[in-house]
Amino acid sequence: MQHEVLSAHDIFAHVRVVMGMVIGLGVTRLLSGVARIVQHPRQYRLHAVHLAWVASVLLALVHFWWWQFGLNQIEVWTFGTYLFVIGYAIVLFLLCALLFPDSMQDYAGYEDYFYTRRAWFFGLLAATYLLDVVDTFMKGEAHFARFAREYLVRTPILVVLCLVAARTASRRFHALFVAATLAYQLSWIFRLFDTLD
C-alpha cells in the first residue's frame, strides 16, 4: 500500500476547516446574543461596556480568521502546532461564551453579569494577547520581526490592563479600556493586516 505524502498546504487546509468550525461557533454565540437583545430588548438591562466588548471580540474573531491565513507559511505541521492553533481558537470561543451565558436568571442585567464574571473574561483576554505572540512567532522569524517592536510594547501593556480590569469594578476604567481597545484593534488591523501577504 502506498502512503501519500501530504504537503503543508494540504494540512493547513484541513486545520483551517477545524479552526473555522470553532471560530464559527464563537461568531454564532455572539450573533445569537445580539439577536436575543434585538428580539427582547427589555428582558435584561443592557450595558454599553458589555456591548462594546461584544463588538471587540467579534472583531477579534473576524480578524483571527483573516490573519490565520499566515499559517500557510508553516512548512512542517506537528500535532503540537495543530493543538496550539485549535487551543487558541477555543480560548476565543470561551470569551464569546462568557459574554453571552446560557442563562441570565441569576443576574439583574448584563452589567451585573459582566462585572461578576470579569476575572474570567479578562484572564482569557490576557491569554489571547500572549497566545498571539506565540502564534506570530510560529509563522517564522521574518513574520515575527514585522511585528516584534510593537509586540514588545503592546503585549505587556494589554496584559497588565487586563489584570487591572479583572480586579477593579470601576465603570470609568472599564469604559476607557474597551474604547481604547477598540480604537487600537482597528488601528492594528488597518495598519498591518489590511492586505494579506
Side-chain angles (χ1 to χ4, degrees):
M1 185 191 309
Q2 285 186 316
H3 292 286
E4 203 174 305
V5 177
L6 293 174
S7 71
H9 176 73
D10 294 332
I11 295 170
F12 169 65
H14 178 71
V15 171
R16 193 164 166 89
V17 168
V18 177
M19 183 177 58
M21 289 172 15
V22 177
I23 294 301
L25 288 172
V27 170
T28 300
R29 184 79 174 222
L30 292 180
L31 295 181
S32 295
V34 171
R36 197 166 48 245
I37 288 171
V38 171
Q39 293 165 352
H40 307 286
R42 293 188 181 95
Q43 188 172 19
Y44 298 106
R45 282 198 310 262
L46 301 180
H47 182 51
V49 169
H50 170 263
L51 290 174
W53 280 116
V54 169
S56 176
V57 172
L58 181 59
L59 181 60
L61 292 173
V62 171
H63 184 220
F64 179 86
W65 184 248
W66 176 253
W67 96 63
Q68 287 301 29
F69 189 76
L71 291 173
N72 69 355
Q73 298 171 16
I74 295 176
E75 294 179 12
V76 177
W77 278 89
T78 64
F79 185 74
T81 304
Y82 164 73
L83 198 59
F84 173 83
V85 171
I86 299 306
Y88 190 174
I90 289 169
V91 171
L92 289 169
F93 169 78
L94 291 174
L95 281 173
C96 300
L98 281 168
L99 286 169
F100 286 111
D102 291 330
S103 171
M104 289 281 292
Q105 67 187 115
D106 296 333
Y107 305 96
Y110 285 104
E111 179 177 16
D112 179 37
Y113 171 76
F114 181 76
Y115 289 110
T116 301
R117 292 286 169 246
R118 71 182 183 273
W120 278 99
F121 179 79
F122 289 108
L124 287 172
L125 186 61
T128 66
Y129 295 128
L130 297 171
L131 291 170
D132 184 42
V133 174
V134 176
D135 178 85
T136 302
F137 191 73
M138 283 177 18
K139 294 169 186 163
E141 287 184 36
H143 183 77
F144 183 80
R146 180 176 171 209
F147 309 105
R149 187 170 294 147
E150 193 163 345
Y151 268 132
L152 293 175
V153 174
R154 91 177 195 134
T155 303
I157 290 172
L158 289 170
V159 169
V160 167
L161 288 172
C162 283
L163 295 176
V164 171
R167 295 187 57 88
T168 185
S170 165
R171 282 17 182 198
R172 174 177 273 184
F173 174 84
H174 283 277
L176 290 171
F177 185 28
V178 72
T181 299
L182 273 167
Y184 181 73
Q185 272 180 284
L186 291 168
S187 164
W188 177 256
I189 290 168
F190 288 109
R191 280 185 300 114
L192 301 170
F193 291 94
D194 191 42
T195 305
L196 288 176
D197 294 334

